[in-house]
Amino acid sequence: MVLTTFVAAEPSLPAVAGPADPEPASLVTLTVPDRAALERLVGSGADLTGRVRPQPDGSIRVDAVVTPSGLAELRPLGATLATGTPAPAPEDRGGTKDRIVVERAVWFQSRDGYFLSVEASSSAGADAALTVTWKGKGGATGQVEMVPYVDAGAYLGHQFSVPVPAGVRPDRVTITSAAGGVAEARVGEWPDGERPDRDRPGYQKDFITQYMPPAQLNARVKDLHRRFPALTEIIELPHLTNGYRRHAQALIGTPPGAAVVVTSRAYGSEGGNDLAVELSDPGAADRTLAVVVDGKQVRVSLATDGSGAPVSTAAEVAAAITGAPGSPVTAATYRTDPGAGVLAPAPLTQLSDFLGAPADVSREPWRVLALRIGTHRDGSRTGVLAYAQEHAREWVTPLVTIEAAERLLRNYPRDPATRKLLRRADIFIVPTVNPDGANYSFYDFNAQRKNMTNHCPAAQSDPALRNTWGVDVNRNYAVGSLFDGYFGASANCQSGTYAGPGEHSEPESRNVIWLAETYPNIRFALNVHSYGGYFMWPPGAYRLDGRVTLPRPSRQQEAYFLRSARTILEAIAAERGTVTWPQQTGPVTDVLYSAAGNSADELWYDHGVYGWDFEVGSDLWNPRTGAWEGVGFQPPFAEGHAEAMEFAAGLISLIGVAADYREDR
């Protein structure tokens, strides 16, 4: 397995190796001065993660995947590499006493002790400087500055940048404003949902031993069906993906002006990798440009002037190669350069698709599989859809679905609660929505987010740009999309959040919606992502002008989302004490940022499916540094394994919520 550079934040980023080589990408933490700057990053199509952390001085830190040139492009938008500790919050300059409302004050106990989280709002808005003083058992106390939360120009309240350690359980908080406002509240417990039954005799779990590329995931699905034929069936989703394949290419000459990009008409795996191109000096004066196709070789004889010097420009050679009868390749000038430079002779140059997976990794279009689990798979039970890896680099997410499937099937014979669950629910599990991108992430470029369909024109399709191609599957859906005028996706084919040429342009998104349309008993869905530790639901997008979101759920529906979430989060926490933070639990637009064209929105608004999103991989508390630390997309397997265990428990809890749906309703 070959992995390219994809590391934690560095003081500086490595340079590009050569004109045909992609820039290395790094996972870094960026600082922007305010929420407006974060919106500019989202609007630019920057490849941001879900780990967004407001700071006391009003700035925001966000993890992102960037190249050196990409970082340079983000600097004018206000982004810099994060360093050191942010400055404290500024003093409130207002002279009028403000009114403070405590929206939520909760404590939680994790494996690392007690933590406090507070959310409040001030009538003075974002200009208010709020301080929380908490008190707990034995006279323990502490003080924390709050951070204003402003999104798309709208003040949404104050909160903590991150939950703060309390040492003991906090009992009461007092919030004071520099303008004189005061509010007090008792501190409740979080998540305080229904506790799972943890001590079931003989209950089996822990079936995951490694990260798994798509072929292993499909093999696991088929093996589970073979072992449990009475409880399962395999659904072959109808839309084949592009496949782990690309056209073969070569960059010939010296960019920008004296170079051509040669591309095979066939995919590399279908003969494109066997092709080669040569530019030769005919060795005589006054010769015309000529192209000869000799089997798998394309030989270009350059034009010469009266002295015998080659005079063919890049534009002329590109046109001649493309137009040659029977040519197995096309050619274009380098990026947006007109190609006026004269090409020098070049030796026979082999084309390549630059794909590094072993030969036994299929290059063919991929048939995505869903594993259906339950004793009544006839549409009579409430359906639950769990799908993962819309984003290729999120290696933990398929493990969540496979671990959950293993637990459900292997415990059915011995565990009454599992038997009851499979009799009351109809479960659909798709471990990898985006297998092509996942293969590319495993074998070529582990920062790959998108699929492998290249919609870029020739000006954006030279080999050095190959890591920027593809469509963000979770921006390609048809509700609240970029094409509807919603914010949080990009029309730039090289962007990390490229929405594609149109809604549902990609087979990956069409497969997810096909399941919802074909099996109308599906009333619940869980889209498993990483990382950052969120639990979210619609609305997931807004229009930037006025921050107009998609219609919010009714108060009753919102209460159901939240009540269900608290129960599911209890199941996650029961595994190893990981608590999803309260300020990261809620509608996407409230707790993260706008994500135009995401799948949960389409499932909710068009199909009435309660659509949730996990962002597995919560921050880990480091008692040595006294700070929360991010885990990344591909943490060491010991951590990835732990995340799979806890969020599989959360998925099973969600299935239990779905099984109770009729009674709840």
Side-chain angles (χ1 to χ4, degrees):
M1 182 184 304
V2 178
L3 301 180
T4 58
T5 303
F6 189 35
V7 297
E10 299 281 352
S12 61
L13 295 168
V16 178
D21 299 315
E23 287 188 279
S26 295
L27 179 60
V28 303
T29 300
L30 301 176
T31 294
V32 293
D34 50 33
R35 193 78 187 185
L38 178 63
E39 291 161 14
R40 291 195 293 271
L41 292 190
V42 174
S44 74
D47 191 355
L48 306 181
T49 75
R51 188 171 183 264
V52 179
R53 301 291 182 260
Q55 303 299 311
D57 63 350
S59 66
I60 295 172
R61 294 190 174 189
V62 56
D63 288 2
V65 177
V66 297
T67 61
S69 63
L71 179 62
E73 292 171 359
L74 296 180
R75 285 194 177 105
L77 303 179
T80 58
L81 287 173
T83 57
T85 303
E91 294 293 328
D92 192 312
R93 299 178 183 176
T96 304
K97 185 176 181 179
D98 55 346
R99 184 172 61 87
I100 300 170
V101 176
V102 181
E103 310 289 352
R104 178 161 56 187
V106 293
W107 62 268
F108 62 83
Q109 184 178 16
S110 77
R111 58 188 175 277
D112 302 305
Y114 287 96
F115 292 85
L116 174 68
S117 176
V118 179
E119 296 161 69
S121 60
S122 166
S123 59
D127 292 334
L130 304 185
T131 301
V132 174
T133 302
W134 62 268
K135 294 182 179 179
K137 295 186 180 300
T141 186
Q143 197 170 81
V144 188
E145 303 298 323
M146 300 193 77
V147 176
Y149 183 22
V150 179
D151 187 33
Y155 170 64
L156 301 180
H158 279 65
Q159 61 185 22
F160 288 171
S161 173
V162 294
V164 298
V168 300
R169 195 184 85 182
D171 291 329
R172 297 195 65 84
V173 293
T174 301
I175 304 176
T176 56
S177 166
V182 178
E184 295 185 357
R186 293 193 63 83
V187 183
E189 184 180 358
W190 176 265
D192 197 25
E194 183 178 338
R195 279 13 180 219
D197 181 5
R198 297 180 59 186
D199 300 317
R200 283 141 60 179
Y203 188 85
Q204 295 184 355
K205 59 182 179 180
D206 196 356
F207 300 99
I208 301 300
T209 59
Q210 64 182 59
Y211 289 123
M212 291 187 283
Q216 292 183 19
L217 294 169
N218 267 16
R220 196 70 168 262
V221 165
K222 293 175 181 177
D223 181 65
L224 285 171
H225 175 55
R226 181 181 61 81
R227 288 172 178 266
F228 303 96
L231 295 174
T232 65
E233 62 188 76
I234 291 178
I235 301 171
E236 295 186 346
L237 304 190
H239 303 289
L240 293 174
T241 68
N242 174 83
Y244 172 71
R245 56 184 183 171
R246 281 184 173 159
H247 298 278
Q249 292 188 304
L251 175 64
I252 301 175
T254 305
V260 292
V261 178
V262 181
T263 304
S264 64
R265 297 183 188 274
Y267 285 105
S269 55
E270 297 174 354
N273 288 334
D274 301 328
L275 303 175
V277 176
E278 177 187 51
L279 307 184
S280 64
D281 182 343
D286 296 319
R287 293 299 177 93
T288 59
L289 177 64
V291 177
V292 175
V293 177
D294 181 12
K296 298 177 188 282
Q297 298 179 355
V298 178
R299 301 186 181 276
V300 180
S301 179
L302 299 170
T304 57
D305 61 13
S307 68
V311 294
S312 296
T313 66
E316 292 168 342
V317 170
I321 290 175
T322 301
S327 177
V329 297
T330 63
T333 57
Y334 183 78
R335 301 191 182 178
T336 58
D337 192 275
V342 174
L343 285 177
L348 198 64
T349 303
Q350 194 79 25
L351 274 65
S352 173
D353 60 12
F354 300 99
L355 296 177
D360 61 355
V361 175
S362 174
R363 269 65 171 171
E364 295 302 310
W366 194 274
R367 178 72 70 185
V368 177
L369 302 181
L371 181 67
R372 190 177 187 182
I373 301 173
T375 60
H376 298 81
R377 303 183 305 277
D378 55 5
S380 64
R381 302 297 190 267
T382 301
V384 183
L385 168 62
Y387 56 109
Q389 209 168 36
E390 283 186 322
H391 293 151
R393 63 196 176 199
E394 298 171 2
W395 293 3
V396 178
T397 62
L399 307 187
V400 173
T401 61
I402 291 293
E403 173 68 20
E406 292 272 8
R407 292 186 191 184
L408 291 169
L409 293 169
R410 294 184 184 274
N411 286 298
Y412 180 83
R414 60 178 52 84
D415 179 51
T418 300
R419 283 199 298 276
K420 183 178 180 182
L421 202 58
L422 265 61
R423 290 168 181 164
R424 300 173 67 220
D426 191 0
I427 304 153
F428 302 78
I429 289 179
V430 184
T432 178
V433 170
N434 178 12
D436 304 338
N439 274 326
Y440 195 64
S441 176
F442 265 88
Y443 300 111
D444 302 282
F445 174 59
N446 63 334
Q448 178 75 6
R449 172 185 174 102
K450 303 184 285 182
N451 70 6
M452 285 191 66
T453 305
N454 180 18
H455 292 287
C456 285
Q460 294 171 283
S461 288
D462 61 89
L465 299 179
R466 61 185 181 267
N467 289 345
T468 71
W469 301 333
V471 175
D472 181 346
V473 175
N474 203 33
R475 299 296 186 274
N476 189 237
Y477 293 87
V479 171
S481 74
L482 172 73
F483 310 98
D484 296 329
Y486 284 81
F487 181 67
S490 176
N492 179 359
C493 66
Q494 291 180 252
S495 163
T497 57
Y498 176 49
E503 296 172 347
H504 290 167
S505 63
E506 306 309 297
E508 294 88 352
S509 63
R510 295 198 299 274
N511 277 331
V512 172
I513 298 306
W514 178 86
L515 280 167
E517 292 174 342
T518 305
Y519 301 96
N521 64 312
I522 294 176
R523 310 300 333 139
F524 292 80
L526 178 64
N527 187 4
V528 190
H529 282 274
S530 75
Y531 63 101
Y534 289 78
F535 192 32
M536 302 178 290
W537 53 84
Y542 55 66
R543 299 179 188 272
L544 191 59
D545 186 13
R547 199 183 184 277
V548 179
T549 71
L550 287 163
R552 297 188 72 91
S554 68
R555 294 185 68 175
Q556 182 180 11
Q557 291 166 337
E558 181 74 20
Y560 182 72
F561 269 120
L562 182 57
R563 184 175 74 251
S564 301
R566 295 172 86 123
T567 293
I568 295 164
L569 297 182
E570 285 282 4
I572 295 170
E575 288 289 309
R576 62 161 179 167
T578 297
V579 176
T580 302
W581 301 346
Q583 67 261 42
Q584 294 186 174
T585 302
V588 177
T589 54
D590 291 359
V591 303
L592 189 56
Y593 43 64
S594 182
N598 71 81
S599 53
D601 278 347
E602 182 165 354
L603 290 171
W604 171 246
Y605 293 103
D606 275 7
H607 301 281
V609 175
Y610 282 90
W612 276 288
D613 298 286
F614 275 162
E615 289 276 353
V616 313
S618 302
D619 280 16
L620 301 177
W621 176 255
N622 186 331
R624 183 180 58 82
T625 62
W628 294 99
E629 298 175 351
V631 296
F633 294 111
Q634 299 140 18
F637 183 70
E639 170 59 25
H641 171 270
E643 293 171 16
M645 294 303 104
E646 60 195 4
F647 282 89
L651 171 52
I652 291 173
S653 178
L654 186 150
I655 295 169
V657 168
D660 293 337
Y661 177 61
R662 291 182 179 180
E663 290 80 2
D664 286 347
R665 192 171 50 169

